[in-house]
């Protein structure tokens, strides 16, 4: 008997938005390279000497500490022990935090770059008030003929009571954070925290969330796609019909399926159309080099 064809892998929405006042934004198929998440909100005004802080997190499946925190973005508007505003990024697994990346207002060297972007941008002055106060100060300096270049470069990206649009995008080497269109920080990927494992986007703390949106999401969950890769005929490489002039071997870790899919859908598509070039993955192999 002829076996029945396997069903096509279920597809997922390529963009989602937070419905109503839901506490989190669910990502049915996780993230992929090039995905982006946008949170529009405003920091609450905190009376007294509170920290005035909030967190935006990309979390794995589960509740509470059982859920892996794949990315923790924590702006502290009034500072902490450092005494100045700070943006901290980190990961958490089984309740244990990793080493934090702290952006405290000075630009890190290009040696710490992620996809060519520095891990921390510079802000040299903070109004401590509203954006209208900042605009008024700049206007007074301009009328008086005074240069503001020595006083202010960019302010701290968050102001209590002021609306902001924060976007987290996934690049080849890590996450990139923009606020109101300006790059603020980049956080390199850490081993064991995969894009496809992101299940929800949550915002907690002193923040009023107006909306959440995620776009350029994978149409099929990478885990499902990996099991059904043979069904995607457009990604199959035909057997060579002529002698191969160029062979490209790509070493890849077993957990880097998302990265392999990015290669298949980009430059490897040109290789598939070539009769003299072949590209193949070598997955989860240990290569020993012997010096003679």
């Amino acid at each position: 008997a002829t076996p029945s064809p396997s069903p096509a892998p279920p597809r997922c929405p390529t963009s989602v938005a937070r419905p109503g006042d839901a506490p989190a934004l669910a990502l049915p198929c996780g993230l992929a390279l090039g995905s982006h998440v946008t949170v529009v909100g405003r920091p609450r005004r905190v009376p007294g000497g509170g920290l005035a802080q909030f967190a935006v997190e990309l979390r794995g499946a589960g509740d509470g500490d059982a859920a892996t925190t794949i990315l923790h973005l924590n702006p502290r508007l009034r500072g902490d022990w450092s005494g100045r505003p700070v943006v901290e990024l980190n990961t958490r697994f089984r309740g244990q935090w990793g080493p934090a990346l702290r952006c405290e207002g000075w630009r890190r060297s290009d040696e710490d770059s992620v996809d060519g972007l520095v891990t921390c941008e510079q802000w040299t002055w903070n109004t401590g008030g509203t954006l209208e106060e900042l605009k008024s100060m700049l206007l007074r300096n301009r009328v008086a003929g005074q240069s503001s270049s020595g006083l202010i470069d960019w302010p701290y990206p968050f102001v209590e009571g002021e609306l902001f649009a924060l976007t987290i995008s996934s690049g080849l080497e890590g996450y990139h954070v923009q606020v109101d269109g300006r790059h603020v920080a980049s956080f390199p990927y850490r081993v064991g925290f995969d894009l496809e494992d992101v299940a929800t986007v949550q915002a907690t703390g002193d923040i009023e969330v107006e909306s959440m949106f995620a776009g350029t999401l994978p149409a099929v969950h990478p885990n499902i796609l990996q099991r059904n890769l043979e069904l995607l005929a457009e990604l199959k490489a035909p057997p060579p019909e002529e002698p191969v002039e160029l062979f490209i071997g790509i070493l890849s870790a077993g957990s880097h399926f998302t990265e392999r899919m990015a290669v298949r859908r980009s430059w490897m598509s040109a290789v598939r159309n070539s009769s003299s070039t072949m590209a193949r993955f070598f997955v989860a192999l240990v290569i020993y080099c012997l010096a003679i």
Side-chain angles (χ1 to χ4, degrees), residues 13-281:
T14 55
S15 63
V16 292
R18 190 184 73 158
D21 296 328
L25 174 64
L27 304 176
C29 291
L31 299 177
L33 294 178
S35 298
H36 55 86
V37 175
T38 299
V39 177
V40 178
R42 67 181 78 241
R44 293 195 188 98
R45 298 184 182 274
V46 178
L51 288 180
Q53 65 172 331
F54 64 92
V56 176
E57 295 183 332
L58 305 181
R59 297 171 63 88
D63 298 322
D65 289 344
T68 300
T69 303
I70 299 173
L71 177 65
H72 171 80
L73 174 67
N74 178 207
R76 301 168 187 173
L77 281 69
R78 299 180 184 176
D80 46 16
W81 53 266
S82 66
R84 59 185 301 165
V86 63
V87 176
E88 185 170 289
L89 299 96
N90 208 340
T91 55
R92 185 179 62 174
F93 180 68
R94 293 182 179 176
Q96 300 296 319
W97 292 101
L101 169 65
R102 291 174 58 87
C103 297
E104 299 180 275
W106 56 79
R107 181 184 175 94
R108 290 178 177 260
S109 66
D110 293 337
E111 296 177 357
D112 300 326
S113 64
V114 179
D115 294 318
L117 298 173
V118 295
T119 52
C120 293
E121 293 286 1
Q122 180 179 3
W123 57 81
T124 58
W125 189 75
N126 187 32
T127 63
T130 65
L131 292 180
E132 293 302 322
E133 294 174 357
L134 173 62
K135 294 176 182 177
S136 299
M137 184 206 67
L138 294 176
L139 180 59
R140 289 196 302 269
N141 288 348
R142 183 175 300 176
V143 171
Q146 299 177 359
S147 174
S148 301
S149 58
L151 176 65
I152 179 171
D153 179 14
W154 281 96
Y156 183 72
F158 303 98
V159 179
E160 292 181 48
E162 296 290 340
L163 200 66
F164 68 84
L166 182 150
T167 299
I168 302 173
S169 58
S170 54
L172 286 172
E173 300 176 357
Y175 296 101
H176 305 291
V177 180
Q178 287 187 330
V179 179
D180 297 335
R182 178 196 171 220
H183 176 259
V184 173
S186 291
F187 187 72
Y189 295 133
R190 288 182 174 172
V191 177
F193 296 87
D194 298 324
L195 289 171
E196 57 263 31
D197 293 335
V198 179
T200 59
V201 182
Q202 296 184 0
T204 58
D206 302 318
I207 181 177
E208 298 175 359
V209 177
E210 299 286 339
S211 64
M212 288 186 183
F213 174 83
T216 320
L217 302 176
V220 181
H221 194 285
N223 291 340
I224 299 175
L225 190 60
Q226 187 170 9
R227 294 194 298 267
N228 297 273
L229 188 59
E230 67 277 3
L231 300 178
L232 300 177
E234 71 274 13
L235 297 181
K236 289 184 178 179
E241 298 179 355
E242 300 179 4
V244 175
E245 298 179 4
L246 175 63
F247 178 83
I248 304 172
I250 309 160
L251 300 179
S252 177
S255 60
H256 288 180
F257 178 74
T258 301
E259 288 78 358
R260 292 194 293 275
M261 287 302 300
V263 173
R264 290 187 179 101
R265 297 186 184 279
S266 56
W267 63 263
M268 191 179 271
S269 60
V271 175
R272 285 194 296 271
N273 297 327
S274 173
S275 60
S276 60
T277 306
M278 176 187 295
R280 294 291 186 270
F281 289 104

